[in-house]
Structures are given as structure tokens and as C-alpha cells.
């Protein structure tokens, strides 16, 4: 069954230019990071540096739009950066991008190369459909702090992704919970690419197509579907 993805009217009203594209994949093969996935991250960092041409990531128009969106729901964008800006800063730093596992490396490379927030969720760990909503503040967000599992709650009005069990990602795309993250055992996944104006639909499509093609190369035989922007 295809996973349902919905965006609430409250979020649409808050940020009218939001568009997301999903890549759904079944039969993936994941593993610890490889030389190939590491090379993708290095190439993405080089593409980012060329794109920015000496500017800081937050000076890119797409990142500026995300900062405005975060401000709109009460988050301080210089403290809790969207995932693309946070990754871009790491890509440009001396330590470079982290190596997590093949699937995470792959979508992080797409995020950095196209300067767009990208997330990956294990389809087998999602309960019901996924919804982008403004939180009431009572929803559970299971995370890990100090090596121990703990339950947090989003701020009232915060934009979150959630399923029937609770929040899967806080502050839109700032912090993913461990429950649905992609691990080396993951075989079925949904990848979300999230854009705001001035990024065009064509640019969003290009990022989604590159992600799908990379998945096909790294997991031959996987069943991959690109779900159009909406």
C-alpha cells in the first residue's frame, strides 16, 4: 500500500509556497558507508561550494526562504537550522560531512548538492500515514538524550511531521526521531524532498530524479516510484 502523505491547511496557510516531492522505494539494500557513498558526499560538497561561490549557506535564496518559514512558526532559524542549511555548513567545514550508512549518505548528498531539505524514513516503522501539521504541544517525540531514550514534546504551533504514533521529525525538518530513521536493516523507505519558492518545480524534479537514479545504482532491482510535487 502506498504511504499517504498530507499537508494540513494550517501549514499551507502559514507557508503558501511549500511543495514536497516523495521518492518511495522498496527492496533497497543498505550497508555501512562505502567508498562509493563517500565519493557521492565529496562530490556533493564540491557542487555546493561552486554553487555558493564564497557565500554562506544562509545567503542562498532558498535557505533564506526556509529561515523565514522557521521564523513564521516561532523557531529561531540561527539556532535550529533547517536540515539542508545544517548539512551545508558541515560540508564546508574542515571535518566535512558525516558518513552514516549508504542510504543516509545518498540522500544527504542530494540535499547538499541541490541545497534542499531531504529526509528518509523507514516505511516499515511508520504507523499509518504521515502528516505535516502544526503541533498542539501534546504529541510525543521519542528521542535519545545522554544515551537514554526520552520523550519530548514539540512547542505548540511548531510545524512537525507525524504519524499515528507520534512526531517523526521536529521543527519541520530539523531533527528526526530514531524510531523511523534508516538503519542498515532498512529495506523499504520514503524520501521527502521539501522546497519553497524561489526553488522551481523543475529544480525539485531534478533533485528527485537524481535521488531515484542513485538509489537504482546502489540497489539494483529495487522498486522505485517518484511521487510528483504537491
Amino acid at each position: 500500500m502506498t504511504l499517504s502523505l498530507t499537508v494540513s491547511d494550517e501549514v499551507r496557510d502559514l507557508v503558501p509556497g511549500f511543495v514536497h516531492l516523495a521518492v518511495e522505494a522498496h527492496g533497497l539494500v543498505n550497508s555501512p558507508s562505502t567508498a562509493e557513498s563517500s565519493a557521492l558526499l565529496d562530490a556533493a560538497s564540491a557542487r555546493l561550494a561552486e554553487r555558493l561561490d564564497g557565500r554562506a549557506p544562509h545567503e542562498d535564496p532558498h535557505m533564506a526562504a526556509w529561515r523565514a518559514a522557521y521564523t513564521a512558526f516561532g523557531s529561531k532559524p540561527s539556532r535550529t537550522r533547517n536540515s539542508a542549511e545544517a548539512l551545508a555548513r558541515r560540508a564546508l567545514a574542515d571535518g566535512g560531512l558525516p558518513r552514516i550508512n549508504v542510504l543516509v549518505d545518498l540522500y544527504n548528498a542530494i540535499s547538499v548538492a541541490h541545497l534542499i531539505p531531504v529526509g528518509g524514513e523507514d516505511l516499515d516503522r511508520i504507523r499509518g500515514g504521515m502528516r505535516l501539521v502544526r503541533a498542539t504541544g501534546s504529541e510525543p517525540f521519542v528521542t535519545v538524550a545522554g544515551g537514554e531514550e526520552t520523550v519530548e514534546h514539540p512547542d505548540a504551533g511548531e510545524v512537525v511531521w507525524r504519524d499515528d504514533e507520534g512526531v517523526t521529525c521536529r521543527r519541520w525538518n530539523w531533527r528526526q526521531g530514531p524510531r523511523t530513521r534508516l538503519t542498515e536493516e532498512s529495506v523499504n523507505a520514503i524520501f521527502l524532498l521539501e522546497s519553497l519558492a524561489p526553488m522551481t518545480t523543475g529544480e525539485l524534479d531534478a533533485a528527485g530524479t537524481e535521488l531515484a537514479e542513485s538509489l537504482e545504482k546502489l540497489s539494483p532491482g529495487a522498486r522505485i516510484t517518484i511521487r510528483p510535487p504537491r
Side-chain angles (χ1 to χ4, degrees):
M1 179 182 293
T2 299
L3 177 74
S4 66
L5 294 165
T6 58
V7 178
S8 72
D9 290 340
E10 283 187 318
V11 173
R12 296 283 190 197
D13 291 341
L14 183 72
V15 185
F18 174 65
V19 179
H20 72 274
L21 177 150
V23 178
E24 188 167 336
H26 297 262
L28 295 167
V29 178
N30 201 9
S31 72
S33 299
T34 63
E36 186 175 5
S37 70
S38 184
L40 288 173
L41 290 169
D42 288 339
S45 297
R47 290 166 65 182
L48 173 69
E50 182 178 359
R51 174 192 181 118
L52 291 175
D53 191 24
R55 293 175 299 157
H58 71 268
E59 295 177 289
D60 179 88
H62 192 214
M63 294 299 92
W66 275 105
R67 283 193 165 214
Y70 270 49
T71 300
F73 66 80
S75 182
K76 295 182 178 179
S78 59
R79 290 183 57 191
T80 55
R81 296 179 176 90
N82 75 81
S83 63
E85 184 182 332
L87 274 177
R89 287 168 59 89
R90 296 191 69 171
L92 297 173
D94 290 340
L97 290 165
R99 273 57 174 166
I100 309 297
N101 59 56
V102 166
L103 290 178
V104 176
D105 291 352
L106 193 158
Y107 79 71
N108 280 348
I110 296 297
S111 176
V112 167
H114 293 267
L115 210 49
I116 179 175
V118 182
E121 306 278 356
D122 190 320
L123 277 172
D124 298 319
R125 295 174 178 269
I126 295 171
R127 301 293 175 254
M130 288 184 64
R131 327 187 266 289
L132 187 67
V133 301
R134 299 198 70 180
T136 65
S138 63
E139 301 89 342
F141 176 71
V142 179
T143 187
V144 176
E148 299 290 332
E149 184 177 285
T150 184
V151 177
E152 298 178 352
H153 299 278
D155 298 327
E158 181 181 323
V159 176
V160 299
W161 279 103
R162 65 158 302 166
D163 64 2
D164 289 352
E165 194 166 311
V167 173
T168 57
C169 195
R170 284 199 60 189
R171 292 178 186 156
W172 211 317
N173 46 45
W174 168 65
R175 183 197 292 172
Q176 183 186 32
R179 173 170 61 90
T180 59
R181 69 186 175 191
L182 295 174
T183 68
E184 292 169 24
E185 289 71 44
S186 300
V187 293
N188 304 309
I190 188 82
F191 300 89
L192 291 173
L193 294 80
E194 302 180 296
S195 73
L196 298 171
M199 176 171 273
T200 67
T201 301
E203 290 171 321
L204 178 59
D205 283 335
T209 298
E210 185 176 342
L211 174 59
E213 290 174 347
S214 295
L215 288 169
E216 289 170 352
K217 289 178 182 177
L218 293 172
S219 294
R223 303 185 307 280
I224 299 168
T225 303
I226 299 176
R227 296 166 63 174
R230 51 174 302 194

